[in-house]
Amino acid sequence: MRKSAVIILILSIMASSLSAQSSKKGSISGSVHCTDGNHPIDFASVVLPRSNQYTLTDKDGNFYIKNVPAGEVLLSIQFFGMEQLDTLIVAPPNGKNIHLKLQMTPTSFHI
């Protein structure tokens, strides 16, 4: 009986710890467009390198990453033919979302 009470207590502590950790996370969404003509960039790679989270933009240039740790994070966007875009942002806590409007610059090829 006593062993069962200890196990239940440990599980309760673990569950409350997980709940507290998830409340410290938010989400990042946004759109990625080209500076040359302002058209959406579809299937660009959107990465949070420090947390190994990533996604791709959709056909309209939109992206969404959930469970982002609150605080300063590096957001890196890559697409062939565009300059890599790295930006520091502050991810919100408590399930909140930050929405970004980002623009990428075409690369210059010299032959």
Side-chain angles (χ1 to χ4, degrees), residues 7 12 16 41 53 69 71 75 81 100 111:
I7 291 173
S12 297
S16 65
I41 299 175
Q53 291 175 282
L75 180 72
L100 307 169
I111 299 176

Side-chain angles (χ1 to χ4, degrees), residues 29-46:
S29 63
S31 60
V32 182
H33 288 80
C34 180
T35 57
D36 184 18
N38 202 32
H39 61 275
I41 299 175
D42 55 347
F43 305 109
S45 173
V46 181

Side-chain angles (χ1 to χ4, degrees), residues 10-69:
I10 291 171
L11 290 175
S12 297
I13 292 170
M14 289 174 59
S16 65
S17 173
L18 288 175
S19 174
Q21 286 177 359
S22 65
S23 69
K24 293 180 183 177
K25 295 181 178 183
S27 62
I28 300 171
S29 63
S31 60
V32 182
H33 288 80
C34 180
T35 57
D36 184 18
N38 202 32
H39 61 275
I41 299 175
D42 55 347
F43 305 109
S45 173
V46 181
V47 181
L48 300 174
R50 295 178 189 160
S51 66
N52 293 322
Q53 291 175 282
Y54 63 91
T55 190
L56 296 175
T57 57
D58 64 16
K59 66 181 177 76
D60 298 317
N62 299 313
F63 68 91
Y64 180 77
I65 301 176
K66 62 182 180 176
N67 295 322
V68 178

Side-chain angles (χ1 to χ4, degrees), residues 80-84 105-109:
F80 183 74
M82 297 286 176
E83 297 287 335
Q84 180 171 323
T105 304
T107 56
S108 319
F109 291 105

